[in-house]
């Protein structure tokens, strides 16, 4: 799977699943905290449309593919703050296998009722409201999603270790699932 988040000030984060772990690919290539990424995904998939506030008129649905009604002076995306240059965040999700992704666009504002913002999916014309907390979930930086682990590989993958303090050195090597002391002397 892959996730792309374009948020405040056009900040861009791209994450990709590598095996069972998530990695940040942009703005830099570093391991991600998979727990935080999974938590964000759970919140996104648990999100519910609260109220549908705009659907295209039937006349717009019958326009030829790619055609737009040029008589409309302000598009619904602009009037709800969902145009690309106005949106608070855009989240694009791809599943395993790279099939066509799904994109959610979130506005900065919503109706007068507190706690709601306007939203829409890129593949649907309908505008709806979602809880404002969803915007907080995706208003993250790459640094927020980085792993805090000092060592990134699992302990089971380590087969050589060197510990040194001043002139004292201890070197261990894994051979046939057993650890051997290599330095200062060799023994199991």
């Amino acid at each position: 799977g892959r996730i792309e988040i374009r948020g405040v000030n056009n900040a861009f984060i791209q994450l990709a699943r590598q095996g069972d772990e998530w990695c940040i690919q942009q703005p830099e290539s570093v391991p991600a905290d998979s727990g935080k990424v999974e938590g964000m995904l759970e919140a996104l998939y648990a999100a519910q449309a609260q109220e549908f506030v705009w659907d295209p008129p039937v006349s717009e649905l019958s326009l030829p593919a790619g055609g737009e009604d040029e008589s409309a002076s302000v598009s619904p995306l602009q009037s709800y703050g969902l145009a690309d240059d106005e949106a608070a965040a855009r989240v694009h999700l791809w599943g395993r296998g790279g099939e066509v992704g799904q994109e959610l666009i979130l506005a900065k504002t919503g109706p007068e009722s507190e706690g709601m913002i306007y939203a829409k999916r890129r593949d649907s014309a309908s505008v709806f409201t979602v809880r404002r907390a969803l915007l907080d979930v995706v208003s993250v930086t790459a640094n927020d999603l980085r792993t805090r682990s000092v060592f990134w590989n699992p302990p089971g993958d380590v087969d050589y270790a060197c510990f040194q303090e001043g002139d004292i050195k201890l070197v261990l090597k894994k051979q046939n699932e057993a650890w051997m002391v290599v330095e200062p002397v060799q023994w199991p």
Side-chain angles (χ1 to χ4, degrees):
R2 194 172 86 211
I3 304 168
E4 289 181 357
I5 303 169
R6 192 169 300 275
V8 181
N9 298 328
N10 248 2
F12 180 73
I13 303 170
Q14 183 182 71
L15 300 124
R17 183 183 293 275
Q18 295 179 352
D20 292 335
E21 298 296 318
W22 284 96
C23 292
I24 299 169
Q25 293 186 318
Q26 287 185 27
E28 56 188 319
S29 183
V30 292
D33 182 324
S34 291
K36 288 180 182 177
V37 176
E38 293 294 335
M40 182 176 59
L41 283 173
E42 286 173 18
L44 284 165
Y45 277 95
Q48 299 282 315
Q50 300 298 307
E51 181 182 351
F52 290 92
V53 295
W54 185 85
D55 286 305
V58 175
S59 62
E60 285 187 32
L61 294 175
S62 61
L63 288 172
E68 292 192 19
D69 184 358
E70 295 183 17
S71 66
S73 59
V74 177
S75 80
L77 293 183
Q78 290 173 321
S79 60
Y80 289 105
L82 294 165
D84 284 345
D85 59 342
E86 298 174 329
R90 294 186 306 280
V91 181
H92 206 147
L93 306 173
W94 288 267
R96 294 180 196 250
E99 68 271 4
V100 174
Q102 302 173 43
E103 186 173 15
L104 177 66
I105 306 167
L106 300 171
K108 296 173 188 167
T109 61
E112 291 184 18
S113 60
E114 273 191 47
M116 298 294 163
I117 57 171
Y118 295 118
K120 81 175 283 306
R121 285 189 37 166
R122 176 75 68 190
D123 61 349
S124 169
S126 298
V127 175
F128 50 89
T129 60
V130 294
R131 298 196 188 282
R132 184 179 303 276
L134 190 60
L135 184 55
D136 295 334
V137 168
V138 298
S139 293
V140 294
T141 66
N143 197 41
D144 295 332
L145 297 174
R146 284 179 78 156
T147 185
R148 298 297 187 236
S149 298
V150 175
F151 295 106
W152 300 339
N153 54 332
D157 288 355
V158 176
D159 59 7
Y160 184 88
C162 179
F163 304 93
Q164 186 166 353
E165 184 177 351
D167 293 341
I168 302 170
K169 185 174 180 182
L170 174 65
V171 178
L172 305 171
K173 185 174 182 181
K174 195 178 206 180
Q175 294 177 336
N176 300 325
E177 299 304 314
W179 284 97
M180 302 288 295
V181 176
V182 177
E183 225 179 289
V185 295
Q186 293 188 2
W187 78 72

